[in-house]
Amino acid sequence: MITDIEVPEPLSPLPGTNIDTDQGLLQWISSVDHKQLGIMYLLMALFYLLVGGAMALLMRIQLMVPENHFLGAIAYNQLFTMHGTTMIFFVLTPAILGFSVYLTPLMIGANEMAFPRLNAFGLWISFFGGIVLYFSYLAGGAPDTGWFNYAPLNQAQFSKTPGVDYYCIGLLLTGIGTVATAANLIVTVITLRAEGMKYKYLPVFVWMVFINSFLILAAFPSLNAALVMLLIDRQLDGHFFNVNTGGSALLWQHLFWLFGHPEVYIVILPPFGILSEVIQVYSRKPIFGYPFVVGSGIAISLLAFGVWIHHMFATGMGNTVNSFFAASSMLIGIPTGVKIFNWLGTMYGGSIRFTTSMLFATAFLVEFTIGGLSGVSFAIVPIDWQLTDTYYVVAHLHYVFLGGSLFGLFAGLFYWFPKMTGRMIDERLGKWFFWLFVLGFNLTFFVQHILGAIGMPRRVHTYPDLPGFEPLNMISSIGALLMGLSMMPFLYLMYTAFKGGKRAPDNPWDGYTLEWLATSPPQLKSFSNIPPIMSFRPLHDLNHPEIGDHKTTEDDKYGTKDDDVVSGRD
Amino acid sequence: MMTWLVVGTETIFFLALIMGFIYFAYYPGFDPKSVGLLEPVQTGAFTALLLASSLTYWRVEVNFKQGKQKPLRIWLIITLALGATFLAGQLMEYKHLFDQQLVISQGTFATGFFTLTGFHGLHVLIGLICLLVVLCLAFLGDFENSDSSLIQAVGIYWHFVDVVWIIVFALVYILPQFINLHGHVSTP
Ligand code: HEM
Ligand SMILES: [Cu+2]
């Protein structure tokens, strides 16, 4: 019979955790509990998503018709800078960290992170980073140099408001928080896995988080160094990026993209992990080719550091450099493609349940593939020269950031919502939200490929009335408004679910991983006992002992054999 | 383990700063005036002190493992003193440079120089604070029969700071002297 494995208690009770959970706001603010911190990360991301989304709507209204005077150049420049910075540093990054700190301990059968207080520190310092960034609006003007903040535009003589200084300090603070949390996650995975949880049994999501944390540790320092140098330039009259006195504007680009390219993978790897969990459970099949999913994740993280120049093809680096980086960029397509096929292979022949979560996961596959293809087209240098700094880039990056990362995060949100809150969502409303959002998203960004190809530059606050520009921009803006509109059912759905949603059982989707063993929502102490772990689907083994993974041979386990369907379940 | 990870990211941070320095100092050629103001011999002496502090800290670790409290405290104090002297030496050097009008806004060399050495100095300061904490704990008797990993963790960090300095010292103080000797940039 199945014998339970004891989960060791943390050695000493930590301040903040030995109080009952229902103590209101103060309890949340002082909490060091990884579940509460994870939820706060997600709330922070949601808040900034609404703020950043509102900014996007303002921009799209400005661009609706040619020669518009709605916002004007200065406000527009500030908006597109703040929009990009917010979305990347204060929406996607906190959201992936939120899922990571909430789920990693639960999925590996641990009761806490390795360093709970450091965990709280990471959240709060990121939060204050955001406040510092937004404070710039009150302090004389937000940064208006783009989220990449290129030199020499970022120098004191060209951007006279203190916005860029706030950008530097704000991002430094978040950067420190992110690095701290990443290190914490690594130590957690290495040291706190439950007995029997071998590396080859880690859930795919935990694998992605684990890989991702190394990526963060390696990528953020170059951003931090660049920000420090820029602060020295601006505040102490340094010369790092000041071209007039021997500095180099290209150095900024190198340091920035040496961080920036890995960053785009930092915000996509955990959604890859989310997708792997979601697709498995809703297809009632173990993930197809587990070792390949994990291996391609590792390959992506290594390759990510070898391709940053593809953001700089137009800076005149020379043909040798360009060819090398073009080739390496195309290489990234391979492990990414492997993943897509793994997911398709998992869905193939499965009995799929199209919940809201699964819909987002499926849409991810489509949109992300489009984004990946436009990415590969950029890796071809002459095409890049033609399309760089046009709306084609805007289309590409939104297909990967929104159609990829954000869709993955939504899939995760709807999947784990019952676990986090103990409430079910209204699936009907969820589907409304999904279809509105997807429709709006594609309307907005698909036409931007064409806009870019016919020559509309990005980062402009208005454009002349050239043929085709007006209708396409109009479509794009309407799509954006639709996406904005879709936030209504979303917020309403969250609100009603919180207030009076149906009580969620512990394992509503018949999930495979350990977090579904805990109560919904989990107690302060998540587990006291966990079942023995003999495969990467321990809960599946426990709930279906007759067809448990450990009973099948290795070949069957990684193949397409579909135990649930065979046994007539679901 | 945490310390290893921290040291790992810090390494990359310093790598970026060092690359920046090389980019500006080596590629366009040195400004002989600025390089001439540095005093490799004096700084070399302070470097030796910092290196010595790594050795003394090693003694701390050994004594900790053997559970010997008194030598542990003494070696800790010596380590602290050596580190502090190094930092004082750096401050003196800065003052000297400021007196000669070499400030951070002087040119690309100065910007790179002060950023690199300044950040290293900051890390020494952080190390000293950690050592101070360890010392207090040592006097409170925290290490008498404990399996604390604190001493080891601080050790990794302290040795790391040393290693970084060796590289910085070689890059900033030693190599430019040779390049100058060969008349690479000293010809106007
Ligand atoms: C097969 C994978 C990918 C390839 C080959 C690729 C390639 C490229 C290239 C060559 C550019 C430069 C375009 C230019 O400015 O001329 C670019 C831009 C960009 N990519 Fe990707 N990409 C890929 C995946 C991703 C992913 C997964 C993300 C994010 C999650 C992403 C986010 C971005 C962003 C944000 C930019 C624009 C940067 C800016 O603001 O200038 N890409 N990509
Ligand atoms: Cu890139």
Side-chain angles (χ1 to χ4, degrees), chain A residues 376-409:
Chain A
V376 173
S377 74
F378 277 136
I380 302 161
V381 178
I383 295 186
D384 182 83
W385 281 344
Q386 182 66 28
L387 292 175
T388 190
D389 273 343
T390 68
Y391 260 79
Y392 195 87
V393 175
V394 181
H396 160 67
L397 70 92
H398 284 92
Y399 267 91
V400 283
F401 275 147
L402 253 138
S405 302
L406 196 66
F407 276 27
L409 290 166

Coordinates of all heavy atoms in Angstrom, one line a residue, chain A residues 376-409:
Chain A
V376 N 11.9 34.9 -36.7 CA 12.9 34.3 -37.6 C 13.1 35.1 -38.9 O 14.2 35.3 -39.4 CB 12.4 32.8 -38.0 CG1 13.4 32.2 -39.0 CG2 12.4 31.9 -36.8
S377 N 12.0 35.8 -39.3 CA 12.2 36.6 -40.5 C 13.1 37.8 -40.1 O 13.9 38.3 -41.0 CB 10.9 37.1 -41.0 OG 10.3 38.1 -40.2
F378 N 13.1 38.2 -38.9 CA 14.1 39.3 -38.5 C 15.5 38.8 -38.5 O 16.4 39.6 -38.6 CB 13.8 39.8 -37.1 CG 12.7 40.8 -37.0 CD1 11.7 40.7 -36.1 CD2 12.7 41.8 -37.9 CE1 10.7 41.6 -36.0 CE2 11.7 42.8 -37.8 CZ 10.7 42.7 -36.9
A379 N 15.6 37.5 -38.2 CA 17.0 37.0 -38.1 C 17.7 37.0 -39.5 O 18.9 36.9 -39.5 CB 17.0 35.6 -37.5
I380 N 16.9 37.2 -40.5 CA 17.5 37.4 -41.9 C 17.9 38.8 -42.0 O 17.0 39.7 -42.1 CB 16.5 36.9 -42.9 CG1 16.1 35.4 -42.7 CG2 17.1 37.1 -44.3 CD1 14.8 35.1 -43.3
V381 N 19.2 39.1 -42.1 CA 19.7 40.4 -41.9 C 19.0 41.4 -42.9 O 18.6 42.5 -42.5 CB 21.2 40.5 -41.9 CG1 21.7 41.9 -41.8 CG2 21.8 39.7 -40.8
P382 N 19.0 41.1 -44.2 CA 18.4 42.1 -45.1 C 17.0 42.4 -44.8 O 16.6 43.6 -44.9 CB 18.6 41.5 -46.5 CG 19.4 40.3 -46.3 CD 19.5 39.9 -44.9
I383 N 16.2 41.4 -44.4 CA 14.8 41.7 -44.1 C 14.8 42.6 -42.8 O 14.0 43.5 -42.7 CB 14.1 40.4 -43.8 CG1 14.0 39.6 -45.1 CG2 12.7 40.6 -43.3 CD1 13.2 38.3 -45.0
D384 N 15.7 42.3 -41.9 CA 15.7 43.1 -40.7 C 16.0 44.6 -41.0 O 15.4 45.5 -40.5 CB 16.8 42.6 -39.7 CG 16.8 43.4 -38.4 OD1 15.9 43.1 -37.6 OD2 17.6 44.3 -38.3
W385 N 17.0 44.8 -41.9 CA 17.3 46.1 -42.3 C 16.1 46.9 -42.9 O 15.9 48.1 -42.7 CB 18.4 46.2 -43.3 CG 19.8 46.0 -42.7 CD1 20.1 46.1 -41.4 CD2 21.0 45.6 -43.4 NE1 21.4 45.8 -41.2 CE2 22.0 45.5 -42.4 CE3 21.3 45.3 -44.7 CZ2 23.3 45.2 -42.7 CZ3 22.6 45.0 -45.0 CH2 23.6 44.9 -44.0
Q386 N 15.3 46.1 -43.6 CA 14.1 46.7 -44.2 C 13.0 47.0 -43.1 O 12.4 48.0 -43.2 CB 13.5 45.7 -45.2 CG 12.3 46.2 -46.0 CD 12.7 47.5 -46.8 OE1 13.8 47.6 -47.3 NE2 11.7 48.3 -47.0
L387 N 12.9 46.1 -42.2 CA 11.7 46.2 -41.3 C 12.0 46.7 -39.9 O 11.1 47.1 -39.2 CB 11.1 44.8 -41.1 CG 10.5 44.2 -42.4 CD1 10.1 42.7 -42.1 CD2 9.3 45.0 -42.8
T388 N 13.3 46.9 -39.6 CA 13.6 47.3 -38.2 C 13.0 48.7 -38.0 O 12.9 49.5 -38.9 CB 15.1 47.2 -37.9 OG1 15.3 47.5 -36.5 CG2 15.8 48.3 -38.7
D389 N 12.6 48.9 -36.7 CA 12.0 50.2 -36.4 C 10.7 50.5 -37.2 O 10.3 51.7 -37.3 CB 13.0 51.4 -36.6 CG 13.8 51.6 -35.3 OD1 13.4 51.1 -34.3 OD2 14.9 52.2 -35.4
T390 N 10.1 49.5 -37.7 CA 8.8 49.7 -38.3 C 7.7 49.0 -37.4 O 8.1 48.3 -36.4 CB 8.6 49.1 -39.7 OG1 8.7 47.7 -39.6 CG2 9.7 49.6 -40.6
Y391 N 6.5 49.1 -37.7 CA 5.5 48.5 -37.0 C 5.5 46.9 -37.1 O 4.9 46.2 -36.3 CB 4.1 49.0 -37.4 CG 3.6 50.0 -36.3 CD1 4.2 51.3 -36.4 CD2 2.8 49.6 -35.3 CE1 3.8 52.2 -35.4 CE2 2.5 50.5 -34.3 CZ 3.0 51.8 -34.3 OH 2.7 52.7 -33.4
Y392 N 6.3 46.4 -38.0 CA 6.5 45.0 -38.1 C 7.1 44.5 -36.8 O 6.7 43.4 -36.2 CB 7.4 44.6 -39.3 CG 7.3 43.2 -39.6 CD1 6.4 42.7 -40.5 CD2 8.3 42.3 -39.1 CE1 6.4 41.3 -40.9 CE2 8.3 41.0 -39.5 CZ 7.3 40.5 -40.4 OH 7.3 39.2 -40.7
V393 N 8.1 45.2 -36.2 CA 8.7 44.8 -35.0 C 7.6 44.9 -33.8 O 7.5 44.0 -33.0 CB 9.9 45.8 -34.6 CG1 10.4 45.4 -33.2 CG2 10.9 45.6 -35.7
V394 N 6.8 45.9 -33.9 CA 5.8 46.1 -32.9 C 4.8 44.8 -32.9 O 4.5 44.3 -31.9 CB 5.0 47.4 -33.1 CG1 3.9 47.5 -32.0 CG2 5.9 48.5 -33.1
A395 N 4.5 44.4 -34.2 CA 3.6 43.3 -34.3 C 4.3 42.0 -33.7 O 3.8 41.3 -32.9 CB 3.3 43.0 -35.8
H396 N 5.6 41.8 -34.1 CA 6.3 40.7 -33.6 C 6.4 40.6 -32.1 O 6.1 39.6 -31.5 CB 7.8 40.7 -34.2 CG 8.7 39.8 -33.4 ND1 8.7 38.5 -33.3 CD2 9.8 40.2 -32.6 CE1 9.7 38.0 -32.6 NE2 10.3 39.0 -32.1
L397 N 6.8 41.7 -31.5 CA 7.0 41.7 -30.1 C 5.7 41.5 -29.3 O 5.6 40.9 -28.3 CB 7.8 42.8 -29.6 CG 7.2 44.2 -29.5 CD1 6.6 44.5 -28.2 CD2 8.4 45.2 -29.7
H398 N 4.6 42.0 -29.9 CA 3.3 41.8 -29.2 C 2.8 40.3 -29.4 O 2.2 39.8 -28.5 CB 2.3 42.8 -29.6 CG 2.5 44.1 -29.0 ND1 3.3 45.1 -29.6 CD2 2.2 44.6 -27.8 CE1 3.4 46.2 -28.8 NE2 2.7 45.9 -27.7
Y399 N 3.1 39.8 -30.5 CA 2.7 38.4 -30.7 C 3.4 37.5 -29.7 O 2.9 36.5 -29.2 CB 2.9 37.9 -32.1 CG 1.6 38.0 -32.9 CD1 1.4 39.2 -33.6 CD2 0.7 37.1 -32.9 CE1 0.2 39.4 -34.3 CE2 -0.5 37.2 -33.6 CZ -0.8 38.4 -34.3 OH -1.9 38.5 -35.0
V400 N 4.7 37.8 -29.4 CA 5.4 36.9 -28.5 C 5.1 37.3 -27.0 O 4.9 36.5 -26.2 CB 6.9 36.9 -28.7 CG1 7.2 35.9 -29.9 CG2 7.5 38.2 -28.9
F401 N 5.0 38.6 -26.7 CA 4.8 39.0 -25.4 C 3.3 38.8 -24.9 O 3.1 38.3 -23.8 CB 5.1 40.5 -25.2 CG 6.5 40.8 -24.9 CD1 7.2 41.9 -25.3 CD2 7.3 39.9 -24.2 CE1 8.5 42.2 -25.1 CE2 8.6 40.1 -23.9 CZ 9.2 41.3 -24.4
L402 N 2.4 39.2 -25.8 CA 1.0 39.1 -25.4 C 0.5 37.7 -25.8 O 0.0 36.9 -25.0 CB 0.2 40.1 -26.1 CG -0.3 41.3 -25.3 CD1 -0.1 42.6 -26.0 CD2 -1.7 41.0 -24.9
G403 N 0.6 37.4 -27.1 CA 0.1 36.1 -27.6 C 0.9 35.0 -26.9 O 0.3 33.9 -26.8
G404 N 2.1 35.2 -26.6 CA 2.9 34.2 -25.9 C 2.8 34.3 -24.4 O 1.9 33.7 -23.7
S405 N 3.6 35.1 -23.8 CA 3.7 35.2 -22.3 C 2.4 35.5 -21.7 O 2.0 34.7 -20.8 CB 4.7 36.3 -21.9 OG 5.9 36.1 -22.5
L406 N 1.7 36.5 -22.1 CA 0.4 36.8 -21.4 C -0.6 35.8 -21.5 O -1.3 35.4 -20.5 CB -0.1 38.2 -21.8 CG -1.1 38.8 -20.9 CD1 -0.4 39.2 -19.6 CD2 -1.7 40.1 -21.5
F407 N -0.8 35.2 -22.7 CA -1.8 34.1 -22.9 C -1.4 33.0 -22.0 O -2.3 32.4 -21.3 CB -1.8 33.7 -24.3 CG -2.7 34.5 -25.2 CD1 -3.0 35.8 -24.9 CD2 -3.3 34.0 -26.3 CE1 -3.8 36.6 -25.7 CE2 -4.2 34.7 -27.1 CZ -4.4 36.0 -26.8
G408 N -0.1 32.6 -21.9 CA 0.3 31.6 -21.0 C 0.0 31.9 -19.6 O -0.5 31.0 -18.8
L409 N 0.2 33.1 -19.2 CA -0.1 33.5 -17.8 C -1.6 33.4 -17.5 O -2.1 33.0 -16.4 CB 0.4 34.9 -17.5 CG 1.9 35.0 -17.5 CD1 2.4 36.5 -17.6 CD2 2.4 34.4 -16.2

